[in-house]
Amino acid sequence: VQVVESGGGSVQAGGSLKLSCVASGYIFGRCGMGWYRQAPGKEREFVAGINMIGGTRDTDSWKGRFTVSQGNAKNVLYLQMNSLKTEDTAVYYCAADSPIGETGCRRYWGQGTQVTVSS
């Protein structure tokens, strides 16, 4: 499985970016896919994800600003980010989780895409 993110860049506060993720050799299943981010000096944190039945999950921190969606091809994931803030500056990673056995999951990470928001 190879996971590749794209769409990062530099934007001013209040602007928008749309990140894309393609997981090659990956079959979308019960474990789902998701977006994470890591700011300098901080731990990687969950942003938003999508599960097998199409349900999305995210955290209150980004509700109303970030939207996760899936492409027509189930191995493609997007993250639409609006009203960006300087604190959103981070490397954004895509995770593709592949089922192992009946209940396990194995995570495949992409290399990350840098998002820089300036004031």
Side-chain angles (χ1 to χ4, degrees):
V1 176
Q2 184 177 17
V3 181
V4 178
E5 305 97 335
S6 62
S10 296
V11 65
Q12 288 192 325
S16 299
L17 283 174
K18 185 175 184 178
L19 306 183
S20 299
C21 169
V22 179
S24 302
Y26 170 74
I27 299 175
F28 183 83
R30 59 175 172 78
C31 296
M33 297 178 69
W35 288 99
Y36 294 73
R37 72 183 191 182
Q38 187 167 18
K42 295 187 178 181
E43 293 186 353
R44 191 171 298 187
E45 60 181 348
F46 172 75
V47 176
I50 193 164
N51 60 29
M52 185 173 62
I53 59 175
T56 60
R57 54 188 177 95
D58 54 24
T59 69
D60 290 340
S61 300
W62 303 290
K63 279 189 183 297
R65 298 197 300 124
F66 293 1
T67 303
V68 63
S69 61
Q70 199 170 23
N72 290 332
K74 298 299 183 183
N75 64 332
V76 177
L77 195 70
Y78 301 105
L79 183 68
Q80 177 68 47
M81 303 186 295
N82 299 325
S83 302
L84 283 163
K85 304 176 181 180
T86 55
E87 52 262 43
D88 294 321
T89 294
V91 178
Y92 285 71
Y93 297 91
C94 179
D97 295 338
S98 183
I100 296 179
E102 295 186 4
T103 59
C105 298
R106 176 179 178 177
R107 175 158 294 170
Y108 296 89
W109 290 103
Q111 81 290 349
T113 185
Q114 177 70 47
V115 171
T116 302
V117 184
S118 58
S119 58

